[in-house]
């Protein structure tokens, strides 16, 4: 297998231009992911929400994926990938621009609505881009090709984090006030107006940028892959997918992976806050610069993507997935039971292990499917992103066990925020088992 992969180009010269064009989309949704994660904590302070209430930011963001992925797949089953991309970009821009009226009304639900519409667009983009990349060449190099395209995603993540820090968090007045709720209503109202405008601006600018990308795709030519023969009925396609255990377990693993990723990246802010509270009276202690650690996590995530893509030439995807998930579970164990800065370093290290999981699970799950099955099957894997909505909400419930703070009580001898990472720990163990099945069981079944 390794020798065959070496002889087969990951991307042929014939499709290099559309490959680059479609790959650029991966950075766009990476940006949206990264700029939104810190907003959970920002909205919590500005609008005086509990951890559970603030987690509705992620519920709206990743819930949009779940609701629109299947309609997007059915649309592109009938029409072209290019039309699907254009609809995705249009919805993406519309959702981002809704932040302007949301800031005017100062209603949390309006911001959530904007994120919900925005991710309708992302669902279209991901449902189109992932299977399109897989189809741009030999099946032997499909998982490598998707890992290569996904390597651009962290560029968007880093850009989104930089914008969130320097154009949002550093300008939030409420973040500089220890007890925002203790201020009188008039003062809080003034700060709220200013801070919501700060949160609004990056999204409005993003919406305008996406509209320009929309124009670029209109004038660009993109080849459309076509399956040979008659298109099977939708019912037959669903029945084939349900019978495919590798695909079904892949969808479940993707739910767990996305949930673990978002929990790890979202609650790093609460984790750092707990460290600050524990050390706040220590002489010479400086507040944890959580954005620097989040940036380091994204850099490790980026490096891991490239290393993972290279390693797939010499190691089967299932085995690599299993090893990465086991290593991630070890880091999560350190995050839970080693408090303080060492625990934070473990939390950052998880990102390196996670880097190849999404595209590798995606590639394994769609490996044996036809072109038409992949279009519909892709929707299930994009719908699995709903894990990023549900699991962070559960983690917020754990963190709120003792109150709206992050370290109001202890569970099994550690603070509630530390213990909440038991959820990603369980997720990675399940993902490791899927990697093992892909490496041993599913591979052996195909050889029979």
């Amino acid at each position: 297998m390794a020798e065959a992969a070496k002889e087969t180009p990951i991307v042929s010269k014939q499709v290099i231009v559309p490959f680059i064009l479609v790959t650029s989309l991966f950075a766009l949704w990476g940006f949206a992911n990264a700029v939104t994660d810190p907003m959970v904590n920002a909205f919590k302070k500005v609008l005086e929400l509990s951890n559970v209430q603030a987690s509705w930011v992620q519920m709206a963001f990743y819930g949009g994926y779940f609701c629109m992925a299947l309609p997007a797949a059915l649309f592109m089953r009938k029409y072209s990938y290019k039309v699907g991309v254009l609809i995705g970009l249009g919805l993406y821009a519309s959702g981002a621009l809704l932040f302007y009226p949301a800031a005017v009304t100062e209603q949390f639900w309006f911001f959530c609505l904007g994120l919900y519409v925005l991710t309708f667009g992302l669902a279209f983009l991901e449902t189109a881009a992932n299977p399109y990349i897989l189809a741009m060449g030999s099946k032997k190099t499909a998982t490598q090709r998707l890992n290569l395209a996904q390597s651009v995603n962290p560029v968007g993540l880093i850009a989104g984090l930089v914008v969130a820090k320097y154009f949002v968090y550093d300008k939030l007045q409420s973040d500089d006030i220890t007890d925002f709720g203790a201020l009188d209503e008039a003062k809080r109202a003034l700060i709220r107006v200013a801070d919501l405008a700060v949160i609004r601006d990056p999204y409005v600018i993003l919406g305008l940028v996406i509209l320009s990308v929309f124009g670029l795709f209109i004038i660009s030519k993109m080849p459309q892959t076509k399956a040979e023969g008659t298109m099977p009925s939708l019912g037959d396609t669903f029945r084939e997918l349900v019978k495919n255990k590798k695909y079904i377990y892949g969808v479940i693993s993707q739910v767990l992976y996305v949930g673990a990723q978002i929990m790890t990246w979202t609650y790093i802010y609460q984790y750092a806050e707990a460290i600050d509270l524990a050390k706040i009276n220590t002489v010479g202690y400086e507040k944890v610069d959580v954005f620097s650690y989040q940036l380091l996590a994204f850099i490790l995530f980026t490096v891991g993507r490239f290393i993972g893509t290279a390693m797939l030439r010499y190691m089967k995807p299932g085995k690599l997935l299993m090893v990465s998930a086991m290593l991630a579970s070890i880091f999560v164990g350190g995050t839970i039971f080693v408090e303080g800065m060492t625990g934070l370093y473990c939390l950052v290290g998880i990102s390196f292990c996670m880097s190849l999981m999404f595209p590798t699970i995606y590639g394994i799950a769609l490996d044996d499917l036809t072109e038409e099955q992949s279009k519909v099957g892709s929707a299930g894997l994009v719908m699995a992103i709903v894990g990023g909505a549900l699991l962070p909400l559960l983690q917020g419930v754990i963190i709120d066990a003792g109150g709206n703070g992050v370290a109001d009580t202890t569970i099994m001898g550690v603070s509630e925020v530390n213990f909440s990472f038991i959820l990603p720990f369980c997720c990675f163990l399940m993902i490791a088992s899927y990697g093992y099945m892909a490496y041993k069981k599913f591979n052996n079944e195909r050889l029979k």
Side-chain angles (χ1 to χ4, degrees), residues 28 35 40 89 110 112 133 156 174 181 197 212 218 221-223 275 329 346 354-355 373 390-391 413 422 427 434:
L28 292 180
V35 81
V40 175
L89 290 171
F110 209 152
C112 290
I133 291 294
S174 58
S212 66
I218 285 181
K221 292 184 178 181
M222 289 174 57
I275 295 174
S329 66
C346 290
M354 293 193 300
S355 58
Q373 289 172 347
L390 301 177
L391 292 175
I422 193 70
C427 290
Y434 178 65

Side-chain angles (χ1 to χ4, degrees), residues 192-261:
R192 187 180 302 116
V193 170
D195 282 2
L196 289 178
V198 168
I199 293 173
R200 171 202 69 199
D201 290 346
Y203 284 92
V204 173
I205 294 171
L206 175 62
L208 297 175
V209 170
I210 297 302
L211 287 177
S212 66
V213 177
F214 180 91
L216 179 61
F217 266 85
I218 285 181
I219 63 175
S220 301
K221 292 184 178 181
M222 289 174 57
Q224 174 63 36
T225 59
K226 294 287 185 182
E228 296 181 1
T230 305
M231 181 185 294
S233 71
L234 187 60
D236 289 340
T237 300
F238 276 122
R239 280 189 287 272
E240 288 298 318
L241 290 174
V242 170
K243 290 190 296 184
N244 190 318
K245 291 183 180 179
K246 184 194 288 189
Y247 172 75
I248 295 299
Y249 293 157
V251 171
I252 295 171
S253 296
Q254 205 71 292
V255 170
L256 297 173
Y257 164 70
V258 177
Q261 181 198 78

Side-chain angles (χ1 to χ4, degrees), residues 57 94 140 171 217 233 235-236 258 329 411 418 436 438 440:
V57 168
S94 299
K140 295 177 181 178
K171 295 184 178 181
F217 266 85
S233 71
D236 289 340
V258 177
S329 66
I411 304 174
N418 283 54
Y436 176 79
K440 292 290 186 180

Side-chain angles (χ1 to χ4, degrees), residues 87-106:
I87 291 175
L89 290 171
L91 288 169
Y92 189 168
S94 299
L97 292 173
L98 280 176
F99 266 59
Y100 189 90
V104 173
T105 62
E106 300 183 14

Side-chain angles (χ1 to χ4, degrees), residues 161-176 195 198 289 291:
L161 181 66
V162 169
V163 169
K165 172 173 172 53
Y166 293 106
F167 296 95
V168 178
Y169 252 84
D170 283 359
K171 295 184 178 181
L172 289 178
Q173 297 179 41
S174 58
D175 192 51
D176 297 326
D195 282 2
V198 168
D289 183 4
F291 277 96

Side-chain angles (χ1 to χ4, degrees), residues 125-206:
L125 295 180
E126 293 211 38
T127 303
N130 285 297
Y132 193 27
I133 291 294
L134 288 172
M136 284 185 179
S138 171
K139 272 184 171 286
K140 295 177 181 178
T141 56
T143 301
Q144 287 177 262
R145 190 161 48 254
L146 186 56
N147 267 278
L148 179 61
Q150 287 273 3
S151 297
V152 179
N153 177 261
V155 176
L157 289 174
I158 292 172
L161 181 66
V162 169
V163 169
K165 172 173 172 53
Y166 293 106
F167 296 95
V168 178
Y169 252 84
D170 283 359
K171 295 184 178 181
L172 289 178
Q173 297 179 41
S174 58
D175 192 51
D176 297 326
I177 300 170
T178 304
D179 191 356
F180 181 64
L183 299 177
D184 63 77
E185 178 55 36
K187 181 65 174 176
R188 292 208 312 274
L190 288 173
I191 293 175
R192 187 180 302 116
V193 170
D195 282 2
L196 289 178
V198 168
I199 293 173
R200 171 202 69 199
D201 290 346
Y203 284 92
V204 173
I205 294 171
L206 175 62

Side-chain angles (χ1 to χ4, degrees), residues 264 267-268 271 297 331 335 342-351 421:
T264 300
Y267 290 109
I268 188 174
Y271 195 92
F331 276 114
T335 300
T342 303
L344 182 59
Y345 297 144
C346 290
L347 181 54
V348 169
I350 297 169
S351 291
F421 283 89

